[in-house]
Amino acid sequence: MNEVIRSLYDRKSVRVFTEQIITEDQKREILMAAMEAPTAGNQQLYTILDITDEELKQQMSVTCDNQPFIAKAPMVLVFCADFQKWYDVFAAGGAQPRKPGVGDLMLAVSDTCIAAQNAVTAAWSLGIGSCYIGDVMENCEKHREMLNLPEYVFPAAMLVFGFPTEQQKNRKKPQRCKLEDIVQTNVYHRRSKEELQVMFSNEYPNGDFEGWCQRFCNRKYNSEFSREMTRSVEEYLKNFTNK
């Protein structure tokens, strides 16, 4: 196993950081690596917000589901799917562009998340941990105002970075599903209950499949933050569906 693949196996989310700062050179390396990511038509359909204002970080630690470690992170980046800049470019060049639609947004989100993962991988190679904050998709109205987001910009991913504490380094990485549970050949196969029980058996070692499903569904999928995320994303989508 080569060094790159080993780092992908080893990387895990980090939520507790040491006091060690991330230097400007390290930040630049991470950002430059993000920009080398694959991108549709070399459009780089994203804008990266480097959140350096401590008050703004504190506010976002609250609006992103009350997670104090966000405010303590040495580096915070918001990766925005950005079709606004291309719409403005086309308009400025007299190209008479159509209004961006959901397909344009999905393409921009793909570009954005690929770039974000490049940043994660680059940071890990420097000994810097990170954690994705999906909650940035919540509270559309607040985040639009806080980050000055125009109508065709969507905060697809937020990342916090810092050097992990020893406890975080030694924390066991959650076990992933088996390869055969994730990879299917040629066409999609919808799994039976029995297959799903086998697929997720590591999640309920006590054998209580139904109990685990109900608890996990209530904690994640049926939760208030999940419902708010859906509402908020629907609000962002309005600009891409109202022609």
Side-chain angles (χ1 to χ4, degrees), residues 203-218:
E203 300 291 341
Y204 59 100
N206 61 359
D208 183 13
F209 175 69
E210 285 80 7
W212 166 76
C213 282
Q214 292 164 25
R215 289 189 298 273
F216 193 82
C217 183
N218 289 334

Side-chain angles (χ1 to χ4, degrees), residues 46-180:
Y46 52 82
T47 291
I48 305 171
L49 303 180
D50 180 14
I51 309 299
T52 61
D53 183 275
E54 293 299 327
E55 183 177 345
L56 181 56
K57 283 170 61 176
Q58 180 62 45
Q59 290 174 352
M60 296 197 73
S61 74
V62 175
T63 57
C64 291
D65 206 32
N66 294 302
Q67 301 184 83
F69 73 92
I70 294 173
K72 298 177 182 178
M75 184 168 79
V76 177
L77 301 177
V78 178
F79 286 75
C80 297
D82 183 3
F83 215 93
Q84 188 70 56
K85 64 182 177 183
W86 279 103
Y87 182 76
D88 292 345
V89 166
F90 295 145
Q96 297 182 328
R98 60 177 172 80
K99 296 289 186 181
V102 291
D104 304 303
L105 174 61
M106 291 299 291
L107 193 64
V109 169
S110 294
D111 256 23
T112 307
C113 291
I114 295 168
Q117 186 60 21
N118 258 31
V120 163
T121 304
W124 191 255
S125 76
L126 299 172
I128 298 170
S130 60
C131 183
Y132 278 98
I133 309 294
D135 307 276
V136 74
M137 291 187 285
E138 297 177 36
N139 293 313
C140 169
E141 297 81 4
K142 291 181 181 178
H143 288 147
R144 268 184 175 159
E145 181 178 358
M146 290 165 59
L147 302 175
N148 194 35
L149 303 179
E151 57 184 339
Y152 300 128
V153 174
F154 170 64
M158 178 175 170
L159 280 163
V160 295
F161 297 85
F163 288 91
T165 62
E166 286 301 315
Q167 181 274 334
Q168 289 286 286
K169 289 180 183 178
N170 297 328
R171 184 177 58 83
K172 186 178 179 181
K173 181 176 180 176
Q175 188 172 349
R176 304 305 196 232
C177 291
K178 295 178 181 178
L179 184 66
E180 56 267 29

Side-chain angles (χ1 to χ4, degrees), residues 9-78:
Y9 274 71
D10 290 344
R11 188 268 165 191
K12 56 193 172 187
S13 295
V14 173
R15 296 178 177 84
V16 186
F17 310 107
T18 69
E19 296 296 321
Q20 184 176 351
I21 66 168
I22 296 174
T23 68
E24 287 302 313
D25 286 343
Q26 289 169 330
K27 178 188 288 189
R28 181 175 176 81
E29 281 191 87
I30 293 168
L31 291 170
M32 292 296 291
M35 292 172 56
E36 290 298 323
T39 170
N42 199 31
Q43 295 175 89
Q44 293 182 279
L45 296 164
Y46 52 82
T47 291
I48 305 171
L49 303 180
D50 180 14
I51 309 299
T52 61
D53 183 275
E54 293 299 327
E55 183 177 345
L56 181 56
K57 283 170 61 176
Q58 180 62 45
Q59 290 174 352
M60 296 197 73
S61 74
V62 175
T63 57
C64 291
D65 206 32
N66 294 302
Q67 301 184 83
F69 73 92
I70 294 173
K72 298 177 182 178
M75 184 168 79
V76 177
L77 301 177
V78 178

